Amino acid sequence: MNHTFNYSRRDTVSVNVGGIAMGSQWPVRVQSMTNTATDDVEASAAQCQRLAYAGSEYVRLTAQGVKQAQCIGDIAKVLRADGCNIPLIADIHFNPKAALTAAQVCEGVRINPGNFVDPARTFRQLEYTDEEYNAELDRIRLALLPFIALCREHHTAVRLGVNHGSLSDRIMSRYGNTAAGMVESVMEFLRVFVEEKFMDVVISMKASNVVVMVEAVRRLVDAMDREDMHFPLHLGVTEAGFGEDGRIKSAVGIGTLMAEGLGDTIRVSLSEDPVLEIPVARKLVDYITSRQGHAPIEGDYCVGYNPLCPERRATVEVDGRVGGTQAPVVIASYRPDEIGSDAVQPDFFYSADGLIDGMHRFLVPLDCWSGERNAYPLITLGEWDRCPASRMRFLQLPATTPVHRLEFLRGRTDTVLVITPVGKNIPGELQALTHALDMAGINCPVIMRNTYTDSSNEWLQVKAGSDLGAVMLNRRADGIWLEDPSINNGTEVVRYAFAILQAARQRISKTEFISCPGCGRTMFDLQSTVQAVQQATAHLTHLKIGVMGCIVNGPGEMADADYGYVGAAAGRISLYKGKQCVEMNIPEQEAIERLVDLIKQNGDWREP
């Protein structure tokens, strides 16, 4: 059986982190990070206990310097005295001395290849000869050797964590701020660990841009496979944001990769109390891994498909509305009066009222609702022969429909396929059918119709985000039809569909907020600040705005934001236009007004 569309975990080595191992022979682990000041031992220990009680299997704490690294050791003593044995992982940026200290007192240490040896990025273009570049690699090796020795001595695991936007000037000058650059940044370090036969290593490739994050992880696995490396992966969408957007964005990125069998530990990064991250992560793990042993899905990729960085499936454009170069559409099983007038409206509404030309079911465009004779019929295969002529018809099919039954569609320009899943592996089924269609020369547009039941809002965000998001990220569909009868609010369900398209960067319908989850480095109250920035700018649907708690997370990790609001010091904010700091250390109480002024000065403001 070909395994292209079937779920199974990628084989990895086992890595021991404080007695809780991770890797393919173990369950996918869930973790989080504290947002207390690390040198506040009592508060940090209390939050670690809350996270452990909530189900976090590891906890990460920031260590800006040697003092904070030592404090993690003190936090561990408090926890162990209380009978809490959760492994603690130190998070290091720019400070190898802190990493050396942490290696002696923590169960794990995260270092960032972008700033562990190379100086802080300045986004300068550097030129190196091959000899000079190789000399830089020798410098990296020499800097890593004492760290590796300490980790070996103290049985400390290592996470090599690369973030998009925190690459060094050296890497960006040669590879750009790209997924390929992220991969090379970590592979330089990983080769040293392999040469030294130190294998307790986990790798993460994170970005706030879900497309970049997914591509980077895929490229990393491809690079490791070529060099016979099999290290576990930590998955996360960094700066995912707040509320439903943060949950959906995380589900799209993490769920897409987990559906491909990747990921051995995950973190859902929310700009909220870190305890709230755990149930979201647990839902995601439980939902994806529940498809283990599903009914086999036959098929393979069509010729020319690049699974590392997919291009949009080539389809015909039907009646100027669906397919081709049109933006992916959203269909709703509601009437217009059931969706808030101030909400983003779907492109089509489902109607089963009345009888038109012998047909009972229609999809009505938003601009034609008042006259349903402008509607398009929704039919099954059995109704095809008696369906009246129409500029567009929607043909609903189970995802397991044999393609030989659809050969009559070859060359048609009036048909959109509405595909419904049958088994547990929803993205596998949907993608297998679209590849089979391509191999058969059938280029009709495809809409995914997924119906979920007995869901809470958070469950729907996780399920739909991971299922529909995977297909949209792989660019295999031309639209989404999301349903959940257990959720009565049509506005919310439609909003989730648009959020999935936005997370997959397939259709932008609102302002994109890139906000970090907060940690001990954060310089302001993150949750209230994110909400205040959103209130002031949420109507600017053409912009991406970053809200970062400290200079470590900004400007680099809000790499593709148009504007940035970054904590500079206690009560002080710096504002960015792109990666350029344009106002430094302004009082926090003036910062949002000054951000609005900055947007206006650059001609990007629109009145609500």
Side-chain angles (χ1 to χ4, degrees), residues 315-324 326-327 329-331 347-349 356-357 359 361-368 372-379 384 387-396 409 412-418 443-447 478-479:
T315 61
V316 297
E317 184 174 303
V318 181
D319 201 29
R321 293 184 183 272
V322 183
Q326 294 293 321
V329 299
V330 171
I331 299 175
D347 302 280
F348 295 89
F349 297 91
I356 304 175
D357 295 330
M359 297 287 106
R361 299 180 307 278
F362 296 88
L363 294 178
V364 186
L366 175 64
D367 57 356
C368 298
E372 289 194 14
R373 287 195 175 274
N374 293 320
Y376 301 108
L378 173 68
I379 61 174
W384 178 269
C387 180
S390 175
R391 297 191 308 276
M392 176 161 58
R393 69 188 75 193
F394 290 84
L395 176 59
Q396 183 161 298
L409 294 172
R412 294 198 72 99
T413 61
D414 63 351
T415 305
V416 177
L417 303 182
V418 177
N443 57 354
C444 297
V446 165
I447 305 293
D478 300 278

